[in-house]
Structure formats: structure tokens, C-alpha cells
Amino acid sequence: MLEFSQIKLLVLPFAIQVVVAIAIFVIGRWVAKWIVERVRKILEKADRAPILVNFIANILSALLYLVIVVAALGQLGVDTTSLVALVGAAGLAVGLALQDSLKNFAAGVMLVVFRPFKTGHFIEAAGVAGVVEKIEIFSSTLRTLDNREIIVPNGEIYSGPITNASARDTRRVDMMFGIGYDDDLRKAKGILQSLIDDDERVLKDPAPFLAVGELADSSVNFLVRPWVKAEDYFSFKCDFTEAVKLHFDKEGISIPYPQMDVHLPAGNG
């Protein structure tokens, strides 16, 4: 039988390893928690989206805990090489299986970090247009003008052009109005200028643009390009177009439309 001194020599080193491993785990957990909290505060001060802050904090916490567990097991004499290889292989397999999800996740992070648009903005992206209601890690939710909800994968949004109609405080309204060649050009231009001057929604700076832009096949076309506040864009464009039609009708100015003359051959009878 082994003597007490021999047992002590065998058990004591292992006991010390266990104590050190426990210390590594306990202290490591405290350090990991401190690091995660510091990173969380830094991201919150940088005004990052809460969903991104939580996601980064959770990923960082999981990675730090994995390092702590590997270090503790290594202290106990466990071969961690195979464990690390297994975790890496599992990560690769998951990554290959979730390529589209990872693409959408990466795009979601880019959208949250670089902010090409925000909640409440009206955008056109991925072939759809609407008001942004939610920006999440994997997808964004848009509300169309007719109140439909569209959920678009972030990968599709970030991989193509993004038109943000709400990014600026002002917008230019591009319109074109045609009159007949026999109509009074100066009179028509005066009506358009008067309508621009009388509408309080039209901004003085930048100054509105009004000029003859084209001598078309059947009409003389005016380019009308006033600037308005972004929130007035649609209402102004509709109101102005209606006012032009009413005033042109009142003043006897025609608005040409495409016509086709059909000539039939004379009969033989």
C-alpha cells in the first residue's frame, strides 16, 4: 500500500492544478464581465443601436468564456488542441450552412454602423419603396405608401443602390408643362411664375428655376424646378400640377396631348 507521504505527493500537485484552474475560471469570468461592460458603454456612448450593442456584447462574452474554459482545462492537463479544432470545424460548418443569414447579418451590421437611413426615412432599395419602420440584424421592415408592410433582407438592401428621400431637409420638385405652339409663351410663363411666387411652400434659397426647356414635336415644354421642404414634396407637386391645369384652362392656354391623324384612301366608286 502507498504511504501517506506518497499519496500526498501524488494528490498535492493535482489539487494545486485544480485550485489554479478554478482561480483562472473565477478571475477570468470577472475580467470578461468587466471587458464586456466596458465595450457596451463605449458602444452606447457612440450612439450605436441597442440591438447591435447587445449582439456584440453577447458575441464578445461567448468568445471570452471560451478562452477562459480552454485555459482552465489546459491547466488541468486536458489536451485542448482537439477541442479548439472541434469548435473551429463546427463554426465552419455553421458558417457554410448559414451563408445567406451571415450575409444578411453582415449587411445589418453595416446598416446600423454607417446609417445610410434611419427609422422614419422614406427610401427606395432592393426594388421596393417605403418608410423605414424597423432596422434589425437580419432584415428591415418598410411601410409602403398604401400601408403594406414589406420585410426586406438586409443583404439585398446593402448590395444595391439606396435612395434616401428623407436624408436632406429640402428637395427639388422637377416638373415639366407643355403648351401649344400657337399659345402665348410669355403669358404661360407668367402664370407659372405667379404660381411659384404665390405658394408659401416654395423656398427662396435655392431659387426656383423656370425656363423653356424643349421645343417638342407637338408642344413647347417648360421646366419648372422649385425647392421645398422634404415633407412638402408630394403635396406641393400634386397641388401645383392641379393649379397649372386650372389656370391654363382659365386663360385659354392649351396643354397638347398626343394625337394621331388617320388618312383613308378614297374609294374607287
Side-chain angles (χ1 to χ4, degrees), residues 127-153:
V128 298
V131 177
V132 179
E133 291 199 325
K134 289 187 294 184
I135 306 172
E136 298 180 317
I137 287 298
F138 293 101
S139 64
S140 296
T141 302
L142 276 64
R143 185 184 76 252
T144 63
L145 295 177
D146 57 351
N147 208 32
R148 291 177 297 156
E149 183 177 280
I150 302 179
I151 300 174
V152 188

Side-chain angles (χ1 to χ4, degrees), residues 14-60:
F14 181 72
I16 293 174
Q17 288 180 329
V18 171
V19 171
V20 174
I22 293 174
I24 290 174
F25 184 76
V26 172
I27 297 174
R29 284 185 59 188
W30 181 84
V31 173
K33 184 178 180 181
W34 181 84
I35 292 174
V36 171
E37 289 300 319
R38 292 294 299 172
V39 171
R40 183 187 293 274
K41 289 181 179 179
I42 291 172
L43 293 174
E44 289 174 350
K45 286 183 178 179
D47 196 25
R48 299 305 179 190
I51 188 171
L52 179 62
V53 174
N54 291 332
F55 185 84
I56 292 177
N58 291 336
I59 292 294
L60 180 60

Side-chain angles (χ1 to χ4, degrees), residues 231-244:
E231 59 266 25
D232 293 333
Y233 179 87
F234 290 107
S235 61
F236 170 81
K237 186 172 185 179
C238 294
D239 294 344
F240 193 87
T241 302
E242 179 180 348
V244 169

